[in-house]
Amino acid sequence: MAASGARTAAIIGGGVIGGGWAARFALMGWNVRIHDTDPDAERRINEVIDRARAAMPGLWDVALPDEGRISFHDDLAEAVEGAEWIQESVPERLDLKHEIYAAIQGACTEAAIIGSSTSGFRPSELAEGATRPGQIVVAHPFNPVYLIPLVEVVTGPGTGTARIDRIRSTLRDIGAHPLFLRREIDAHIADRLLEAVWREALWLVSDGVADTAEIDDAIRYGFGLRWAQMGLFETYRIAGGEAGMRQFLTQFGPALKWPWSKLTDVPELTDELVETIASQSDAQSGRRSIAELERIRDANLVAILRGLKARDWGAGRLLNAAERRIGGAPRSLDALSLTSPLPTGARAVPLDWSDQNGHMTEHRYLQAFGDATDRFLALVGCDDDYIACGHSYFTAETHIRHLAEVRAGARIEIDTRLLLAEGRRLRIFHRMWENSRLVATGEHMLVHVDLESRRAVMPPPELQNKLARVAKAHAHLPEPEGAGAAVGRPPERQPDPQE
Ligand SMILES: NC(=O)c1ccc[n+]([C@@H]2O[C@H](COP(=O)([O-])OP(=O)(O)OC[C@H]3O[C@@H](n4cnc5c(N)ncnc54)[C@H](O)[C@@H]3O)[C@@H](O)[C@H]2O)c1
């Protein structure tokens, strides 16, 4: 699925992080060229991209652009030539990174942005000895890069405002959240916070206060849930009660002087402590492979992100903003041909829509068809504004046929045929496709109602006219296979006038 006219990113170093970057760019429609010196890199990266294909597109309720072309290059210069964004994700060694930038700058355009995934180095350190220092910035992501939106960006004095604007718009374009640091500092923001918790956790194990599973429980049953949706300061503001943050600081400020924390000190990672932590971790999680843990992590993250999306909050709000930019099906009948069923849905199946059988679970078919019904109604004029004025359609009857398996990540499209628009009643027939394979159908009877009396009433003339226009055009289409079928029984065959 080569995307012609697509933008191009180069990924230098395709390990855990580079593979994730490659997936995020490609699934957002960019062509991606990858250079990694390890002969096994292609296999590893393809595994990451496959995981991302199952997880990432389903974050949104609209279809993403067609996937970009992914290619592997033994020659670094070939990979970066003409690329608009070059993301370096080689191991965290300054000498190696310097060597890589010299090779990149010898082959890339001056306009290209070179982002480094470095967890700790400052841009001034990265750019030492570079031919064009302003071209190199920190773009620090989080694992898995294709699901976690945060990218910490650290620029230098030579970056320039035009480049900063391009960095911001590019990262937004791939669904990320760029957080620009006000000034450079070792390890940026997030890793400094993580390092603080990590040191404290190591002390708790070293002192025999808790094992690795108990520390993880303290996070995932407790403050980790709060942090994912409100962070630290907003959470503590609430903890201060009605008086908010001032009260919180007055109440808990003195505790900062108590010897609660060992932060200034680091436990010695002796062989004994390493063995203790590793064996506790084996006891906690060793029954699952890393690949299995990665799949569980991805499914959990998708569920959390989609939950926040429904609440339009935090990282979920970012998904909604990206969705508005991506756009969806046409919103006006005038933009569509009425000589075929109307396009009413295009999306990927989210990971949290699949069940223990590994395919889309029943009620999600109804959700997808319900969304398609809403889109059909909006097209004929029964949109949010119309409903706010006091009328709507209620669904009275539904018949869904599951014709083929659909797995997480699959791109599905729905089209809708109007079978009947008579008086207060409306009968529509949805078909769900994966590529050109019919995977499900949904037939629905709807009734037009007055939202105050909650009774069926005739739709107004304007709505009737639009429905009549579609009904007249759709009357020329052949009866869709399966329309009018009862559960377990095919539809009654219409007599053929030729017989
Ligand atoms: N692992 C994380 O959680 C994480 C998170 C954020 C940022 N980072 C940063 O991302 C960078 C990469 O980390 P990682 O965890 O992906 O490491 P990794 O070891 O998984 O991947 C590094 C990749 O670079 C390749 N490589 C080594 N030398 C190369 C060269 N000369 N040319 C091309 N490729 C080369 C390796 O073959 C490997 O595939 C580091 O700077 C790290 O600090 C890591």
Side-chain angles (χ1 to χ4, degrees):
M1 273 191 290
S4 61
R7 301 163 76 182
T8 298
I11 304 296
I12 308 303
V16 174
I17 294 302
W21 275 110
R24 184 176 273 282
F25 273 108
L27 292 173
M28 281 297 191
W30 285 55
N31 291 333
V32 175
R33 304 209 207 115
I34 304 168
H35 167 74
D36 193 300
T37 44
D38 178 3
D40 197 32
E42 187 167 337
R43 178 196 61 77
R44 285 189 281 106
I45 294 167
N46 281 330
E47 280 178 15
V48 175
I49 294 172
D50 277 346
R51 255 201 326 272
R53 282 190 184 112
M56 184 180 146
L59 287 177
W60 291 273
D61 294 304
V62 296
L64 294 184
D66 283 347
E67 189 178 313
R69 187 178 47 237
I70 299 167
S71 54
F72 294 86
H73 302 261
D74 290 337
D75 183 21
L76 180 146
E78 186 183 279
V80 303
E81 196 193 333
E84 204 179 309
W85 186 287
I86 299 158
Q87 186 66 28
E88 168 276 304
S89 306
V90 300
E92 190 77 341
R93 273 179 28 223
L94 199 51
D95 60 330
L96 176 61
K97 291 192 189 272
H98 285 158
E99 212 179 283
I100 295 284
Y101 300 142
I104 292 175
Q105 291 197 314
C108 73
T109 64
E110 280 194 45
I113 288 160
I114 304 175
S116 171
S117 298
T118 178
S119 303
F121 296 122
R122 304 168 181 222
S124 57
E125 292 170 307
L126 296 175
E128 276 162 14
T131 36
R132 295 182 294 273
Q135 195 173 19
I136 301 169
V137 298
V138 170
H140 175 237
F142 294 81
N143 191 28
V145 180
Y146 51 84
L147 288 181
I148 303 282
L150 182 66
V151 177
E152 291 179 310
V153 181
V154 198
T155 58
T159 311
T161 50
R163 211 181 259 128
I164 287 175
D165 288 346
R166 266 196 312 127
I167 293 168
R168 182 179 287 111
S169 67
T170 300
L171 290 172
R172 285 197 180 143
D173 186 64
I174 58 168
H177 177 72
L179 178 65
F180 283 81
L181 263 72
R182 290 161 186 244
R183 59 187 173 86
E184 65 169 34
I185 177 177
D186 292 335
H188 332 310
I189 298 174
D191 277 356
R192 293 183 80 103
L193 296 172
L194 284 176
E195 181 85 357
V197 177
W198 177 232
R199 282 180 192 214
E200 210 61 60
L202 292 178
W203 272 121
L204 290 169
V205 177
S206 172
D207 291 349
V209 176
D211 65 16
T212 58
E214 288 162 340
I215 293 169
D216 281 354
D217 284 352
I219 297 170
R220 65 197 183 128
Y221 288 100
F223 64 82
L225 291 169
R226 302 191 308 207
W227 282 7
Q229 48 84 49
M230 278 195 178
L232 182 63
F233 285 97
E234 204 159 45
T235 296
Y236 280 171
R237 183 183 174 84
I238 299 172
E242 283 180 3
M245 186 51 99
R246 277 191 183 75
Q247 168 59 19
F248 181 81
L249 289 171
T250 310
Q251 192 178 343
F252 295 102
L256 292 172
K257 299 239 159 65
W258 300 345
W260 275 6
S261 163
K262 286 196 167 188
L263 258 190
T264 47
D265 216 355
V266 193
E268 192 64 39
L269 279 181
T270 59
D271 290 349
E272 197 189 343
L273 181 55
V274 169
E275 183 48 35
T276 303
I277 294 171
S279 54
Q280 286 180 1
S281 174
D282 287 346
Q284 178 189 355
S285 317
R287 67 189 181 286
R288 294 198 169 94
S289 69
I290 298 295
E292 201 180 345
L293 288 172
E294 282 172 328
R295 279 194 297 276
I296 292 169
R297 173 204 64 191
D298 284 6
N300 291 341
L301 286 172
V302 168
I304 292 168
L305 284 163
R306 287 188 54 78
L308 290 171
K309 181 173 184 292
R311 302 270 319 124
D312 197 28
W313 188 265
R317 191 162 204 164
L318 179 82
L319 293 176
N320 285 330
E323 187 166 298
R324 282 191 292 277
R325 279 199 305 277
I326 295 163
R331 297 193 174 274
S332 153
L333 270 190
D334 299 331
L336 293 168
S337 155
L338 300 187
T339 54
S340 49
L342 303 180
T344 49
R347 61 162 311 132
V349 175
L351 255 184
D352 62 334
W353 281 21
S354 61
D355 61 15
Q356 67 277 27
N357 296 323
H359 56 207
M360 184 154 86
T361 199
E362 287 101 311
H363 69 280
R364 299 302 187 175
Y365 286 82
L366 181 56
Q367 182 167 346
F369 284 137
D371 290 346
T373 299
D374 287 348
R375 236 162 268 144
F376 173 83
L377 290 173
L379 279 172
V380 293
C382 180
D383 54 14
D384 290 346
D385 292 343
Y386 179 83
I387 294 166
C389 291
H391 290 93
S392 187
Y393 274 97
F394 286 0
T395 305
E397 207 175 317
T398 289
H399 180 201
I400 292 174
R401 296 185 311 150
H402 307 267
L403 304 175
E405 280 194 296
V406 186
R407 291 176 179 268
R411 183 176 165 137
I412 51 173
E413 294 190 0
I414 298 176
D415 60 30
T416 304
R417 164 92 188 268
L418 178 56
L419 295 176
L420 173 105
E422 215 172 70
R424 301 161 201 167
R425 290 185 313 155
L426 201 60
R427 203 175 126 222
I428 54 178
F429 191 84
H430 300 301
R431 296 181 301 178
M432 184 188 290
W433 304 88
E434 184 190 353
N435 298 318
S436 50
R437 193 174 61 130
L438 185 65
V439 292
T441 64
E443 188 170 354
H444 310 266
M445 179 68 80
L446 296 105
V447 182
H448 188 261
V449 291
D450 179 325
L451 288 174
E452 196 166 318
S453 68
R454 318 300 279 185
R455 289 183 176 278
V457 293
M458 286 294 288
E462 200 187 330
L463 185 51
Q464 285 187 44
N465 289 344
K466 278 198 181 164
L467 285 167
R469 210 174 119 205
V470 181
K472 191 171 162 209
H474 282 191
H476 297 292
L477 298 171
E479 182 82 358
E481 191 279 316
V487 173
R489 259 193 307 122
E492 277 175 27
R493 190 167 164 265
Q494 302 293 320
D496 184 340
Q498 305 291 321
E499 281 176 11

